[in-house]
Amino acid sequence: MAKREEYEKKTEELLAPIMEEYGFELVDVEFVKEGSNKYLRAYIDKPGGITIDDCEVVSRRLSDLLDANDYIEEAYILEVSSPGLGRPLKKEKDYVRSMGKEIEIHCFRAVNHEKEFQGILTAYDNETVTITVDEETITLERANIALIRLAFDF
């Protein structure tokens, strides 16, 4: 297991009791490098949306646990935030939550001369994602999907 994956997994384990205590959902944890900095990010949610105060409470609790456990060997910046409106679908629970909702998909390679699709998520499995667009069913290979997220209109 890569260090990044190990850091993310251990952080998810530290966050689990905090999420349960406050009734929050842990959407994702990522350890990424951006420019010269590394970031440990936790994305949390709850019905009705997450607040800045919610993020602050989780950040303080997590920071104390990270200091106590000290398993990340590198300098990093901790961020706890909402996943935002256009959050990507990454995990099984994201797909379950999004069934019957409008999503947008960006592909690496064109499918029928198109690289972007928007439609209602009607099915998915380990290999494919199926959407309905104007009563037409389109099934896309997951290996060709660069980004899949909930669609949002302003």
Side-chain angles (χ1 to χ4, degrees), residues 37-53:
N37 294 318
K38 293 195 177 178
Y39 294 86
L40 177 63
R41 291 190 177 117
Y43 297 99
I44 61 174
D45 207 359
K46 71 177 182 186
I50 219 75
T51 67
I52 290 173
D53 291 338

Side-chain angles (χ1 to χ4, degrees), residues 1-2 19-20 22 29 34 45 47-48 58 64 69 74 87 90-91 108-110 115 121-122 124 130 132 135 140 152:
M1 180 181 315
M19 296 296 99
E20 188 173 324
Y22 289 97
V29 171
E34 292 179 4
D45 207 359
V58 172
D64 290 345
N69 288 272
E74 314 162 60
R87 75 182 191 206
K90 292 183 175 182
K91 299 179 179 179
F108 291 114
R109 294 173 313 284
K115 288 180 94 174
L121 178 62
T122 55
Y124 67 92
T130 302
T132 301
E135 298 183 28
L140 302 165
F152 54 94

Side-chain angles (χ1 to χ4, degrees), residues 9 16 26 53 71 76 86 91 109 111 113 137 139 141 154:
K9 184 178 185 299
L26 179 60
D53 291 338
Y71 55 85
Y76 62 91
K91 299 179 179 179
R109 294 173 313 284
V111 176
H113 309 289
T137 299
T139 300
E141 299 292 322
F154 290 102

Side-chain angles (χ1 to χ4, degrees), residues 6 20 28 32 40 43 69 72 88 95 97 99 102 107 115 121 134 144-145 154:
E6 181 183 327
E20 188 173 324
D28 198 15
V32 295
L40 177 63
Y43 297 99
N69 288 272
I72 299 178
Y95 285 91
R97 183 187 316 104
M99 283 298 293
E102 190 169 10
C107 294
K115 288 180 94 174
L121 178 62
D134 299 326
N144 189 30
I145 296 175
F154 290 102

Side-chain angles (χ1 to χ4, degrees), residues 90-136:
K90 292 183 175 182
K91 299 179 179 179
E92 173 78 12
K93 64 184 177 182
D94 299 328
Y95 285 91
V96 169
R97 183 187 316 104
S98 300
M99 283 298 293
K101 295 183 179 172
E102 190 169 10
I103 62 170
E104 62 181 64
I105 300 173
H106 300 262
C107 294
F108 291 114
R109 294 173 313 284
V111 176
N112 297 328
H113 309 289
E114 298 287 333
K115 288 180 94 174
E116 296 181 7
F117 299 88
Q118 190 162 328
I120 305 299
L121 178 62
T122 55
Y124 67 92
D125 59 31
N126 290 336
E127 307 296 322
T128 62
V129 173
T130 302
I131 59 173
T132 301
V133 181
D134 299 326
E135 298 183 28
E136 178 188 356

